[in-house]
Amino acid sequence: MTPRIHPTAIVEKGVEIGAGTSVWDNAHLRGPSKIGSNCIIGGKSYIAYGVEIGDFVKINSFVYIPNAVRVGNGVMISAGTIFTNDITPRATDPDITQLLDSGPQDSTLPTFVGDGVTIGAGSRISGGITIAEFAMVGMGSVVTKDVGAFHLVFGNPARLKGAVCKCGHVLVRGSLEGQGRVTCPKCDRQYSYQDGVVSSELESVS
């Protein structure tokens, strides 16, 4: 199935778009970049060159993704999310005599979003971090540090608030210190955790 691209979208030369992907109104995709199959790119979102997006990714409206961001499969990036890639940005040289190039610099930091992650609406994601698989970032969060697999984080700055299942249901609220085992009450998937590290065990999905 060929990609569906709205007539007002700007798709530059060098953008690879997978089968079944929809690109909605006034989105701007810069090349070279790669968008996987069966994705949704929401209206008025911006994806810079050098970005890689996996398969089955939902990107809502007004999302900004700059250079050096990689997004895995099955990720949800909600409306108004902004990624950054430089923690020491300047517009000009130190003498303010010329604008700096807008392309990647030595200070450009890569960011990776793992498979199955959800990022809530209006979140801000710092450059140079990893959000590991199936983590969930609450809406309006400011994420400045790595987020572990299955972790639930929110706030400004975002802090660990518990753990979530692959299905999105909250498994644990609060601290993940010590060790324990937990079964998702919604889908019966089983997990263990030890000192903040959450692992998916044998799944028994009802």
Side-chain angles (χ1 to χ4, degrees):
M1 184 165 58
T2 58
R4 177 182 177 183
I5 301 174
H6 194 277
T8 63
I10 301 172
V11 179
E12 296 184 4
K13 183 178 180 180
V15 177
E16 299 179 31
I17 302 177
T21 288
S22 296
V23 180
W24 290 100
D25 62 291
N26 295 288
H28 186 178
L29 279 55
R30 301 199 62 189
S33 58
K34 185 176 181 180
I35 315 296
S37 62
N38 299 296
C39 296
I40 296 174
I41 309 299
K44 299 147 189 89
S45 288
Y46 175 90
I47 297 176
Y49 52 88
V51 171
E52 296 182 11
I53 306 256
D55 300 328
F56 300 103
V57 173
K58 287 185 177 181
I59 296 175
N60 289 163
S61 299
F62 299 103
V63 171
Y64 179 85
I65 305 180
N67 179 268
V69 174
R70 290 192 300 126
V71 176
N73 300 317
V75 173
M76 172 78 172
I77 303 177
S78 301
T81 294
I82 295 175
F83 287 78
T84 64
N85 62 2
D86 190 341
I87 60 174
T88 57
R90 292 293 195 193
T92 71
D93 65 0
D95 298 320
I96 314 183
T97 59
Q98 62 180 355
L99 284 171
L100 295 176
D101 187 280
S102 296
Q105 306 292 325
D106 292 341
S107 57
T108 299
L109 301 173
T111 294
F112 177 67
V113 180
D115 292 350
V117 166
T118 294
I119 299 176
S123 294
R124 304 294 183 258
I125 312 299
S126 179
I129 66 171
T130 294
I131 303 176
E133 62 179 9
F134 293 100
M136 184 172 287
V137 177
M139 64 180 181
S141 296
V142 178
V143 184
T144 60
K145 297 181 179 180
D146 290 348
V147 178
F150 304 103
H151 281 191
L152 169 66
V153 302
F154 54 84
N156 180 7
R159 300 185 186 279
L160 179 62
K161 301 294 183 178
V164 293
C165 178
K166 286 184 177 181
C167 74
H169 194 87
V170 177
L171 297 168
V172 178
R173 293 187 184 275
S175 173
L176 295 173
E177 293 304 310
Q179 65 181 38
R181 298 183 65 178
V182 61
T183 299
C184 178
K186 182 177 180 180
C187 71
D188 291 334
R189 287 180 172 87
Q190 298 177 0
Y191 298 83
S192 63
Y193 63 90
Q194 182 169 357
D195 297 328
V197 178
V198 182
S199 301
S200 176
E201 297 187 342
L202 181 65
E203 297 177 357
S204 176
V205 181
S206 60

